[in-house]
């Protein structure tokens, strides 16, 4: 079941996200959903087979890094920005 969520983001970030999504034939909503799917993984044992194609694209950006490392990177990055 899908539900609406309103986010407030910098205008420049929104435009870059739209461009990024368009280049990958997806939507910003799907990108945000994929991001939250990764960072909220409960057991920390991310299994590539359980991810959508969009999430696999995110993970594939860092070929040398496994999913757990990527999750940790995102958590650290966004936790630092919020403090």
């Amino acid at each position: 079941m899908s539900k609406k969520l309103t986010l407030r983001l910098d205008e420049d970030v929104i435009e870059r996200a739209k461009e990024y999504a368009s280049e990958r034939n997806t939507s910003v909503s799907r990108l945000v959903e994929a991001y939250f799917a990764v960072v909220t993984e409960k057991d920390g044992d991310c299994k590539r087979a359980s991810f959508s194609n969009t999430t696999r694209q995110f993970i594939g950006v860092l070929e040398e890094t496994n999913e757990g490392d990527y999750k940790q990177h995102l958590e650290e990055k966004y936790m630092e920005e919020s403090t």
Side-chain angles (χ1 to χ4, degrees), residues 16-73:
R16 290 192 327 250
K18 286 180 178 180
E19 184 177 324
Y20 182 89
S22 176
E23 291 169 357
R24 286 155 181 79
N25 298 317
T26 191
S27 67
V28 173
S29 291
R30 289 202 183 264
L31 293 176
V32 171
E33 181 179 12
Y35 167 77
F36 282 117
V38 171
V39 299
T40 60
E41 186 72 27
K42 290 191 184 336
D43 62 8
D45 182 23
C46 301
K47 294 185 175 127
R48 189 173 282 264
S50 68
F51 292 126
S52 69
N53 288 335
T54 303
T55 304
R56 286 189 199 120
Q57 286 177 345
F58 276 121
I59 295 167
V61 170
L62 304 172
E63 291 181 21
E64 301 280 326
T65 306
N66 67 36
E67 290 95 349
D69 291 341
Y70 183 58
K71 177 183 173 185
Q72 182 178 354
H73 160 74

